[in-house]
Amino acid sequence: MVLIAPSILSADFGALRAEVQALEKAGADMIHCDVMDGQFVPNLTFGAPVIKKIRACCKLPFDVHLMIETPEKLIPSFAAAGADILTVHYEACPNLKPVLEKIREFGMKAGVSLKPETPPEFLNSFLNELDQILVMTVEPGFGGQMFMESELEKIATLKEMTKDLSLKIEVDGGINPQTAKMCVEAGADILVAGTAVFQDGKYAENIKALR
Ligand code: DX5
Ligand code: ZN
């Protein structure tokens, strides 16, 4: 079954608790949190203290996507905030293996994300340390961008590379019912969507359309 992970980047930041509860009620499978530091990407969002507050009012797994420099420094804070899956960017980790090991030591699932220009083969030696691979289908930093079809081949390559493993492939950026279909056909297991879930405020209907 394909899982739907709404990104709260498109939510009303002034009412995050209610937004997360509404997503749970609308049938979301997990909550995707886009943490940005204004350095790794040119945008700034929220961090562990905010996640800790909203985590307490929702039973769904929290899928935390760190778009930050030196993510290893904040692994303990995100574990304490209740993150279930912690994803770092390949491009932000010159020494990835110990970062992934530390995420697991802190009791979370470990994910790595690839920007559009990063080749899938770069992950060959890390597959055993990974629970999830997040394929960016836009340049990270902002919601509401156009899906990059050029990334479909990367999804297929990663699916083939991981066929004997229980690892999940997640896609993020420009996902709507049309692009979702292409991604799932290429091998995606989890769909992140911001704009497509939040548009018109019809969360349940929008999640159903993605499924
Ligand atoms: C972009 C974020 C995405 C983003 C997706 O850097 O990682 O999660 O919120 O938003 P949409 O679905 O609007 O492209
Ligand atoms: Zn994301």
Side-chain angles (χ1 to χ4, degrees), residues 110-176:
V112 72
S113 181
L114 302 178
K115 285 167 96 173
E117 74 273 20
T118 306
E121 292 78 17
F122 282 12
L123 295 183
N124 260 328
S125 52
F126 303 105
L127 297 178
N128 289 325
E129 272 72 48
L130 283 168
D131 298 293
Q132 193 163 300
I133 298 172
L134 173 54
V135 177
M136 288 308 302
T137 43
V138 297
E139 281 302 331
F142 300 93
Q145 302 182 73
M146 270 268 282
F147 178 81
M148 296 167 78
E149 273 192 42
S150 55
E151 296 309 295
L152 289 169
E153 200 184 320
K154 186 188 284 181
I155 300 168
T157 304
L158 286 167
K159 194 69 184 175
E160 179 59 27
M161 278 166 58
T162 59
K163 64 176 187 293
D164 300 324
L165 302 167
S166 59
L167 209 151
K168 300 257 189 256
I169 297 179
E170 181 175 37
V171 290
D172 186 1
I175 302 298
N176 58 39

Side-chain angles (χ1 to χ4, degrees), residues 25-141:
K25 207 169 150 214
D29 296 302
M30 49 176 97
I31 302 293
H32 185 84
C33 301
D34 287 309
V35 176
M36 305 185 188
D37 66 354
Q39 299 291 321
F40 182 73
V41 290
N43 193 8
L44 188 61
T45 56
F46 50 80
V50 170
I51 292 177
K52 188 174 184 174
K53 286 291 178 190
I54 54 174
R55 214 273 152 268
C57 65
C58 168
K59 289 194 187 66
L60 297 177
F62 267 52
D63 176 37
V64 178
H65 177 192
L66 298 183
M67 285 161 272
I68 66 175
E69 302 283 2
T70 58
E72 61 278 6
K73 290 185 189 164
L74 291 174
I75 291 169
S77 322
F78 284 101
D84 298 280
I85 306 156
L86 196 65
T87 294
V88 296
H89 262 271
Y90 178 88
E91 305 82 7
C93 301
N95 195 3
L96 182 62
K97 201 168 175 227
V99 180
L100 299 175
E101 285 169 350
K102 189 169 173 184
I103 294 173
R104 284 181 166 177
E105 274 165 31
F106 274 83
M108 298 175 286
K109 287 189 177 165
V112 72
S113 181
L114 302 178
K115 285 167 96 173
E117 74 273 20
T118 306
E121 292 78 17
F122 282 12
L123 295 183
N124 260 328
S125 52
F126 303 105
L127 297 178
N128 289 325
E129 272 72 48
L130 283 168
D131 298 293
Q132 193 163 300
I133 298 172
L134 173 54
V135 177
M136 288 308 302
T137 43
V138 297
E139 281 302 331

Side-chain angles (χ1 to χ4, degrees), residues 172-201:
D172 186 1
I175 302 298
N176 58 39
Q178 289 73 42
T179 57
K181 187 164 186 282
M182 295 187 235
C183 291
V184 171
E185 279 167 4
D189 305 295
I190 306 171
L191 304 168
V192 175
T195 308
V197 168
F198 284 86
Q199 65 184 354
D200 305 326

